[in-house]
Amino acid sequence: MNSVNLHQMTDVLDTLPFVEGLNPIEYQRLSNAQKISMEEGAVLLRQGDTCQGFIILIEGCIRVFGRSVQGRELEMYRIEKMGTCVLTTSCLLAGNAYPAEAVVENDARILLIKDEDFSFLMSESTAFRRFVFESYSERLSGLLMLVQSIAFERIETRLARYLLKASQKSFVLSISHQDIADTLGTAREVISRHLKIMEQQHWLALSRGQIIILEPSLMDSFLKEQRLM
């Protein structure tokens, strides 16, 4: 992990969506932040860690997931450009330890606003406070949808939605069954079984290390049918 003091990095600070709403004193407190560079695969936070500050992702992608005592993962969300971490925000506001794991998925540049500066900006800056709560609200809505999906949707519905979304970039998905299982919070064997069924239905083809989407329209029709049920 490499960190650089941001006193003179106004080019980075001035890209932040709330910066125009800060007065000079608030901007000075923001300038105390650190820029942290982390490579793919690096662990940003582990379960039980103390949160050192508020995170804004300048560049890259960070995957946030929970892990059961059996070692099974459940992806909660990804942090992307100009995104924040709702769990970090919650920890700072409540003084709790970090309840999940955050791992860099693509090389990342992170702005870390120290706890004391975060508290000052939350107290004094309307623009910063609005940015934090809007980000918090958006991410919380996503987490509630995830809980509803796990609680009420069948795994084949969640799998079809995942594959359909992933195929928007390419019909050839280079991803393992275990990676999908980790994302959806289930066992690899469950994913493999349902992928085999989808292959028999000619929705996709399975090859070593790849899933080839053949009929995305059939997946879309299936998902529409599920919404009507």
Side-chain angles (χ1 to χ4, degrees):
M1 180 187 300
N2 299 317
S3 62
V4 180
N5 192 280
L6 281 184
H7 277 291
Q8 297 182 350
M9 292 200 61
T10 56
D11 56 331
V12 174
L13 297 181
D14 289 347
T15 65
L16 301 176
F18 58 85
V19 72
E20 292 185 359
L22 302 181
N23 64 36
I25 295 175
E26 294 162 356
Y27 187 89
Q28 182 60 42
R29 294 300 290 262
L30 178 66
S31 298
N32 293 333
Q34 287 183 308
K35 181 192 134 188
I36 301 171
S37 297
M38 301 185 72
E39 295 182 351
E40 178 181 338
V43 178
L44 176 62
L45 286 163
R46 290 184 171 87
Q47 186 171 345
D49 282 353
T50 299
C51 296
Q52 301 297 322
F54 181 72
I55 291 169
I56 302 175
L57 186 62
I58 303 301
E59 188 176 87
C61 182
I62 296 172
R63 179 172 176 257
V64 179
F65 58 94
R67 192 190 300 273
S68 71
V69 292
Q70 293 83 16
R72 182 178 296 174
E73 294 181 4
L74 173 62
E75 182 177 302
M76 303 173 75
Y77 54 88
R78 281 178 166 83
I79 309 170
E80 297 180 326
K81 186 174 182 179
M82 289 301 161
T84 67
C85 179
V86 64
L87 294 180
T88 302
T89 306
S90 177
C91 292
L92 292 171
L93 293 174
N96 296 327
Y98 197 71
E101 295 186 44
V103 176
V104 177
E105 195 166 60
N106 301 121
D107 291 354
R109 292 195 303 147
I110 302 161
L111 193 70
L112 179 67
I113 302 174
K114 291 293 187 178
D115 190 2
E116 57 270 24
D117 293 317
F118 171 78
S119 297
F120 175 86
L121 290 168
M122 285 293 289
S123 173
E124 301 298 326
S125 171
T126 300
F128 181 76
R129 191 164 54 246
R130 182 184 301 114
F131 170 77
V132 171
F133 284 132
E134 285 179 353
S135 300
Y136 191 94
S137 175
E138 179 181 353
R139 187 65 71 187
L140 187 60
S141 296
L143 286 173
L144 289 174
M145 291 177 63
L146 174 62
V147 171
Q148 290 177 335
S149 172
I150 294 172
F152 303 118
E153 286 188 338
R154 296 183 300 175
I155 187 61
E156 57 263 43
T157 303
R158 296 172 57 213
L159 177 58
R161 181 180 296 111
Y162 172 87
L163 293 172
L164 195 60
K165 182 178 180 180
S167 67
Q168 291 175 355
K169 294 182 179 179
S170 172
F171 287 144
V172 180
L173 310 180
S174 297
I175 188 169
S176 71
H177 296 191
Q178 185 62 60
D179 287 338
I180 299 174
D182 290 342
T183 298
L184 298 183
T186 188
R188 179 187 59 77
E189 294 79 8
V190 173
I191 295 300
S192 296
R193 183 168 66 251
H194 284 285
L195 285 173
K196 193 64 179 176
I197 293 171
M198 290 179 176
E199 184 178 43
Q200 292 169 353
Q201 294 171 322
H202 306 292
W203 292 7
L204 52 80
L206 300 174
S207 63
R208 189 175 182 84
Q210 290 185 329
I211 300 171
I212 304 166
I213 306 300
L214 302 176
E215 294 289 349
S217 60
L218 294 180
M219 289 188 185
D220 188 50
S221 296
F222 168 74
L223 291 174
K224 289 178 179 177
E225 290 173 2
Q226 295 305 301
R227 287 195 291 267
L228 294 175
M229 295 177 64

